[in-house]
């Protein structure tokens, strides 16, 4: 009789997914990271992995927030399997919170960007800049998530292992002009087909605008940073901004604090 087969990363991922699904759905990004872990390291012996192995596996080309989320997912898979089989969890260092990408536009640059967009993408791009919502949230947004009387969006994001987090976002007049009268549509911001935008179709319209305006590496998610930085300039507290962006921690919005510092310095110099 041969030696028993040592459990692999693929075994751990399947074990973790089955356990998670017993408590509800799993966020799409978390599923992506789990499947990527299985694809890249599926044959590795899960009980032999160290924190250094996990840290070395994670894609360092993404931002600090993305790295933390991927490390959380991978470490969670490994440690859940280890703990359920009587083994000690492994420790893995993560990039610090608040060390994320810092790229945003001025109000003038924002308005020029919106104006340069093709008509079919202008509504959703306007909403990106004026709600701080994530691109996927707006692509999937249905009329049932809109309060047409109070002019608000009810947005929800699945946070891995923590369930659905909801937030209410008030609508600027520039967004409302595209939202009003959409009650009978499949999506509030539909693609030309009338259905949900795909990432490919959206990108085919977004990136030519970036090139046309001579910008470098301005991503859809940077519209969210632009929204937050402009709120800081208007004197809105970081706590309110964190709530509007769907962050439970102030650490994720501290990157915008220097905007207020710069404005304060300019005000003092005008005395």
């Amino acid at each position: 009789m041969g030696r028993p087969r040592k459990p692999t990363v693929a075994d751990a991922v399947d074990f973790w997914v089955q356990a998670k699904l017993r408590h509800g759905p799993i966020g799409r990004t978390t599923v992506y990271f789990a499947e990527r872990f299985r694809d890249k390291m599926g044959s590795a012996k899960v009980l032999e992995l160290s924190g250094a192995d996990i840290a070395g596996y994670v894609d360092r080309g993404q931002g600090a927030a993305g790295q933390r989320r991927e490390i959380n997912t991978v470490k969670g898979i490994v440690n859940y399997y280890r703990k359920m089989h009587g083994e000690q969890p492994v420790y893995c260092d993560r990039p610090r919170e608040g060390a994320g990408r810092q790229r945003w536009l001025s109000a003038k640059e924002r308005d020029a960007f919106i104006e340069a967009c093709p008509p079919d993408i202008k509504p959703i791009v306007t909403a990106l800049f004026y709600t701080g919502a994530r691109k996927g949230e707006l692509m999937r947004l249905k009329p049932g998530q809109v309060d047409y009387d109070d002019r608000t969006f009810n947005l929800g994001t699945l946070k891995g292992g923590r369930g659905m987090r909801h937030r209410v976002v008030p609508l600027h007049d520039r967004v409302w002009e595209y939202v009003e009268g959409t009650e009978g549509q499949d999506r509030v911001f539909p693609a030309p087909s009338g259905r949900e935008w795909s990432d490919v179709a959206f990108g085919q319209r977004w990136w030519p605008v970036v090139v046309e305006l001579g910008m470098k590496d301005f991503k859809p998610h940077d519209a969210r940073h632009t929204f937050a930085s402009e709120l800081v300039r208007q004197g809105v507290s970081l706590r309110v901004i964190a709530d509007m962006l769907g962050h439970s921690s102030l650490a994720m919005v501290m990157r915008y604090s220097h905007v207020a510092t710069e404005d304060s310095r300019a005000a003092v110099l005008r005395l």
Side-chain angles (χ1 to χ4, degrees):
M1 199 174 164
R3 294 181 180 178
R5 184 178 71 88
K6 292 184 178 181
T8 65
V9 164
D11 297 325
V13 170
D14 293 339
F15 186 72
W16 177 85
V17 168
Q18 290 170 12
K20 284 286 185 184
L21 289 176
R22 286 198 292 269
H23 301 285
I26 309 173
R28 283 204 268 185
T29 304
T30 302
V31 170
Y32 167 78
F33 286 144
E35 291 179 345
R36 182 175 179 273
F37 189 38
R38 181 199 284 124
D39 292 343
K40 299 290 185 182
M41 295 189 67
S43 61
K45 305 300 184 286
V46 67
L47 298 181
E48 297 175 5
L49 288 179
S50 66
D53 292 326
I54 294 173
Y57 154 78
V58 170
D59 178 11
R60 297 296 174 176
Q62 58 189 323
Q67 291 179 41
R68 285 196 306 274
R69 189 163 183 182
E70 184 166 16
I71 288 173
N72 285 344
T73 300
V74 172
K75 186 177 70 172
I77 291 169
V78 172
N79 284 342
Y80 182 75
Y81 193 91
R82 292 177 67 89
K83 286 186 287 187
M84 295 302 288
H85 289 80
E87 300 288 338
Q88 290 294 315
V90 298
Y91 171 79
C92 183
D93 196 16
R94 309 180 308 160
R96 65 180 178 86
E97 277 196 84
R101 176 184 173 89
Q102 297 187 27
R103 177 77 166 96
W104 49 72
L105 304 181
S106 67
K108 184 177 180 180
E109 290 171 326
R110 172 200 65 199
D111 293 342
F113 191 99
I114 293 172
E115 185 60 32
C117 286
D120 58 1
I121 201 176
K122 190 172 290 186
I124 191 171
V125 170
T126 302
L128 282 171
F129 280 109
Y130 279 89
T131 66
R134 299 172 179 87
K135 181 185 68 172
E137 291 174 328
L138 294 178
M139 285 179 169
R140 297 188 296 272
L141 189 69
K142 296 183 178 182
Q145 295 173 258
V146 180
D147 188 321
Y148 289 90
D149 295 323
D150 288 344
R151 296 189 179 188
T152 58
F153 287 162
N154 184 349
L155 302 177
T157 304
L158 272 173
K159 294 292 184 180
R162 290 171 286 170
M164 183 73 77
R165 179 181 297 157
H166 291 276
R167 69 189 190 279
V168 175
V169 178
L171 302 184
H172 190 280
D173 288 345
R174 292 193 65 176
V175 179
W176 179 249
E177 68 175 284
Y178 296 116
V179 174
E180 187 176 18
T182 60
E183 293 94 328
Q185 297 180 178
D186 182 61
R187 293 289 187 273
V188 175
F189 300 107
S193 65
R195 303 193 66 78
E196 184 176 322
W197 280 97
S198 69
D199 286 327
V200 172
F202 185 91
Q204 287 172 341
R205 290 161 174 79
W206 174 275
W207 292 112
V209 177
V210 173
V211 173
E212 176 188 337
L213 295 179
M215 296 178 177
K216 182 179 179 181
D217 190 29
F218 189 76
K219 301 178 181 179
H221 199 74
D222 295 328
R224 180 170 161 88
H225 300 320
T226 299
F227 170 79
S229 65
E230 188 59 29
L231 289 182
V232 170
R233 291 187 185 281
Q234 299 298 328
V236 179
S237 74
L238 292 180
R239 178 68 268 170
V240 171
I241 294 171
D243 290 341
M244 293 184 71
L245 295 178
H247 294 312
S248 59
S249 168
L250 281 178
M252 291 300 293
V253 295
M254 286 305 295
R255 73 183 78 176
Y256 308 114
S257 61
H258 83 276
V259 176
T261 302
E262 291 171 0
D263 287 354
S264 299
R265 183 178 295 112
V268 169
L269 292 176
R270 287 197 296 268
L271 292 176

